[in-house]
Amino acid sequence: MKKLLITGGARLSGTVRIHGAKNSVLPVLAACCLCTSPCVLHNCPDIEDVRTALAILESLGCKTRREGSTLCIDASGLSKFRVEKRLAGKMRSSILFLGALLARCGKAELALPGGCPLGERPIDLHVKSLAKLGARFRFEKGILQAAWRERRDGDIFLSIPSVGATENLLLACALMNGTVTLHGAAREPEITDLIGFLRAAGADIRGAGSGDITIRGVKKLHGATYTILPDRIETATYLCMAAGCGGEVELQRCDGRLLAPVIERLREAGCEINCDGSEIALKSSGKLTAVSPVTTAPYPGFPTDAQAILMAAVLRAKGESVFQETVFERRFLHVPELQKLGADIVLSGKTARVRGVAHLHGAMLRAEDLRGAAALITAGLLAEGESEVLGLSHLARGYENLEQNLKNLGAAIKSVDIPAPFVYNT
Ligand code: UD1
C-alpha cells in the first residue's frame, strides 16, 4: 500500500495528455457483450475500474487484450451470465452488466455493485424500468437475478435522469423486437458516446444528447472499432490544480466544450483559459477570487464529479465560494479533510461555504472516494509544507499516471510505501 507525499507551493507548468473517459469506456466495455464479433476500442485509460471491467468480461467467457491504450474485446464466446461478488463489489459500473447480459443471454445474475460511498445509490430506477419492459427480478443471498418473462416495448419515463439507468436501458433494449422510447434520459456526453459505439455496432438509436431517446431493437450487433471520448473530469482535475497553484498548463486531446461550467468558474476566479480544438491552455497567477455559487446538476449542469476538485482549488481564493451538492447525499466527505489543512469551510446540509484563507498548512489526509482523493491532492499542492494523502486505492480506480503527470508539471509529489503495521483501510 502506498501514500502520497506532497510538498505544496510549486507552480504547475507544462503539458498533459488527457486519457479516454472512465465513465465512457466502462459502459462501452459492457456493451461489447452484445457484439458477436470482435471490437476494437481506442483511447482506453489503464485504470483499476477498467481492469475490473476486463476481469468481468473474462469471467463471462470473453477474450480481452490490451495494446497500449487500445482494447480488443471478443465476446463471441460469452457463455456465462453471472457477475461474481468479488468483481461486482469493486465498482458501481458492474451494474451495467445487468442490461448487457439481459440483452445477450436473456438473463443476468449480479452481486450488488460497489463504488464510491456517496450515499444510498439505489438501483430502483434500473430495476423498475427493466421490469416495465418485461424483466422479472429476484434478490436472493446478495445476488440480483433477472430474466425476461416477456419482452414489452413502449415508453419509459425516468423520474431522475440517472446515468446508470439510462445506460442499462440502452444496453437492454439494443437487441430486441420492438421500439422503446426513454423520456427523461440522462444527457451526459458519456451516454452519447455509448450510443455512438452501439450505433457503430449496428444498433438503431436516435436522440443521443437529448432527454428523449428512441431505441429500435435489432436482431444482432456486430463488432465495431471506436474511439472513447476524452475524460472531462480528468481534464477538470488538471485545470483546477493549475488554477489553484498558479502556472501555465496545456492539456492535449481533451474537449473544453464538455466542461463549460467548470471553465466558466475558473475564468471568474481569474484564470486565462483558451480552448482550441482538442487543446486547452490555462494561465493562472495562483491568486484567485471566489467563484459564483456552484450547484451540481445533471449534464449540462455543473458536474458533481468536479465539485470537490474545484472546492480545493478555491480554498485560498479571495472571498466566499458556495457549493451546493444536489446529485449525491454524501459528497462532502473531503470537507473535514480539507479543514485539517486550515481551510475555512462551513458545512450545512447540502451546502458548503468556503471562505478563502491566506495560508493552508500541510496535514495528513485520507481520501474516502475517487474525486475526493483528487481534491485532497489539489489542496496538498496548495498548502505550505508537507501533506500526506492516504486512500490511494480510490485514486487508482479513475486516474492513470496522475503522480507522474504532476511531477512533469513541477509538483513535489512522490508515492511511498506505507510500512506494513500501518496499512489499515488505505
Ligand atoms: C454516474 C457516474 C458518476 C457521476 C454520476 C452523476 C459512472 C460510472 N459514474 O454515476 O461518476 O457522479 O453518474 O453524474 O458513470 N438514483 C436513484 N435510483 C437509481 C439510480 C440513481 O435514486 O436507480 C439517484 C442516485 O442515488 C443519485 C442520482 O440518481 O442521487 C444520480 O445517479 P446516477 O446518474 O445514476 O449516477 P451513476 O450512474 O451511479
Side-chain angles (χ1 to χ4, degrees), residues 22-23 26 92-93 121-126 160-164 188 304-305 327-328 331:
K22 164 177 117 39
N23 289 352
L26 296 172
R92 174 76 181 170
S93 295
R121 301 193 85 175
I123 53 165
D124 57 315
L125 294 175
H126 305 232
I160 301 172
S162 158
V163 172
E188 268 65 6
T304 172
D305 286 357
V327 179
F328 289 110
R331 205 143 206 196

Side-chain angles (χ1 to χ4, degrees), residues 173-310:
C173 299
L175 289 179
M176 74 179 289
N177 256 335
T179 299
V180 171
T181 302
L182 310 181
H183 303 279
R187 296 159 59 194
E188 268 65 6
E190 294 77 17
I191 302 275
T192 304
D193 216 26
L194 171 61
I195 294 174
F197 170 77
L198 287 168
R199 286 173 60 126
D204 182 352
I205 304 176
R206 315 260 158 100
S210 81
D212 298 303
I213 301 176
T214 300
I215 311 149
R216 270 177 234 256
V218 296
K219 284 204 169 62
K220 212 175 149 181
L221 292 188
H222 48 74
T225 297
Y226 195 76
T227 301
I228 300 295
L229 100 168
D231 195 315
R232 62 194 166 107
I233 306 302
E234 187 192 28
T235 309
T237 302
Y238 289 108
L239 289 177
C240 288
M241 285 173 166
C245 292
E248 282 187 35
V249 293
E250 184 183 294
L251 306 186
Q252 296 174 338
R253 294 173 66 163
C254 54
D255 188 345
R257 291 168 305 178
L258 308 179
L259 264 182
V262 177
I263 289 178
E264 189 185 306
R265 291 312 189 296
L266 292 174
R267 283 190 177 132
E268 280 174 18
C271 301
E272 192 185 316
I273 301 178
N274 285 309
C275 301
D276 185 7
S278 63
E279 290 178 4
I280 305 179
L282 174 143
K283 270 189 208 173
S284 166
S285 64
K287 295 189 189 341
L288 303 183
T289 48
V291 294
S292 59
V294 170
T295 301
T296 63
Y299 192 84
F302 191 96
T304 172
D305 286 357
Q307 175 255 109
I309 306 161
L310 179 65

Side-chain angles (χ1 to χ4, degrees), residues 60-374:
L60 297 171
C62 307
K63 291 200 178 83
T64 73
R65 196 174 77 244
R66 180 179 275 282
E67 287 167 15
S69 63
T70 296
L71 289 173
C72 306
I73 311 295
D74 180 357
S76 57
L78 187 144
S79 55
K80 300 201 178 100
F81 54 87
R82 176 185 270 236
V83 181
E84 301 295 341
K85 188 170 177 197
R86 72 186 167 87
L87 296 170
K90 284 189 173 180
M91 63 172 185
R92 174 76 181 170
S93 295
S94 58
I95 192 63
L96 301 180
F97 286 89
L98 172 61
L101 290 170
L102 269 173
R104 174 75 187 263
C105 309
K107 53 190 169 181
E109 293 184 2
L110 295 100
L112 287 183
C116 290
L118 308 177
E120 270 298 297
R121 301 193 85 175
I123 53 165
D124 57 315
L125 294 175
H126 305 232
V127 169
K128 268 190 229 157
S129 317
L130 290 168
K132 188 153 182 250
L133 295 173
R136 176 194 52 185
F137 287 89
R138 269 174 60 187
F139 187 61
E140 219 173 75
K141 295 187 183 155
I143 302 286
L144 183 69
Q145 301 175 353
W148 294 120
R149 187 201 296 270
E150 55 180 316
R151 296 222 55 177
R152 288 192 288 262
D153 56 9
D155 294 278
I156 296 288
F157 296 85
L158 290 169
S159 53
I160 301 172
S162 158
V163 172
T166 303
E167 291 167 344
N168 247 333
L169 287 160
L170 286 166
L171 294 168
C173 299
L175 289 179
M176 74 179 289
N177 256 335
T179 299
V180 171
T181 302
L182 310 181
H183 303 279
R187 296 159 59 194
E188 268 65 6
E190 294 77 17
I191 302 275
T192 304
D193 216 26
L194 171 61
I195 294 174
F197 170 77
L198 287 168
R199 286 173 60 126
D204 182 352
I205 304 176
R206 315 260 158 100
S210 81
D212 298 303
I213 301 176
T214 300
I215 311 149
R216 270 177 234 256
V218 296
K219 284 204 169 62
K220 212 175 149 181
L221 292 188
H222 48 74
T225 297
Y226 195 76
T227 301
I228 300 295
L229 100 168
D231 195 315
R232 62 194 166 107
I233 306 302
E234 187 192 28
T235 309
T237 302
Y238 289 108
L239 289 177
C240 288
M241 285 173 166
C245 292
E248 282 187 35
V249 293
E250 184 183 294
L251 306 186
Q252 296 174 338
R253 294 173 66 163
C254 54
D255 188 345
R257 291 168 305 178
L258 308 179
L259 264 182
V262 177
I263 289 178
E264 189 185 306
R265 291 312 189 296
L266 292 174
R267 283 190 177 132
E268 280 174 18
C271 301
E272 192 185 316
I273 301 178
N274 285 309
C275 301
D276 185 7
S278 63
E279 290 178 4
I280 305 179
L282 174 143
K283 270 189 208 173
S284 166
S285 64
K287 295 189 189 341
L288 303 183
T289 48
V291 294
S292 59
V294 170
T295 301
T296 63
Y299 192 84
F302 191 96
T304 172
D305 286 357
Q307 175 255 109
I309 306 161
L310 179 65
M311 186 186 295
V314 298
L315 291 177
R316 296 184 309 176
K318 195 165 172 234
E320 185 181 76
S321 306
V322 180
F323 292 82
Q324 201 189 1
E325 174 59 49
T326 70
V327 179
F328 289 110
E329 295 167 346
R330 294 183 69 222
R331 205 143 206 196
F332 284 135
L333 295 175
H334 50 284
V335 167
E337 300 301 299
L338 296 177
Q339 287 166 332
K340 289 183 191 165
L341 298 162
D344 181 354
I345 308 175
V346 178
L347 197 54
S348 164
K350 291 179 171 179
T351 305
R353 292 178 179 278
V354 181
R355 219 172 294 164
V357 293
H359 301 281
L360 297 167
H361 52 77
M364 194 204 267
L365 309 170
R366 179 182 297 279
E368 300 290 352
D369 63 79
L370 167 59
R371 304 304 171 187

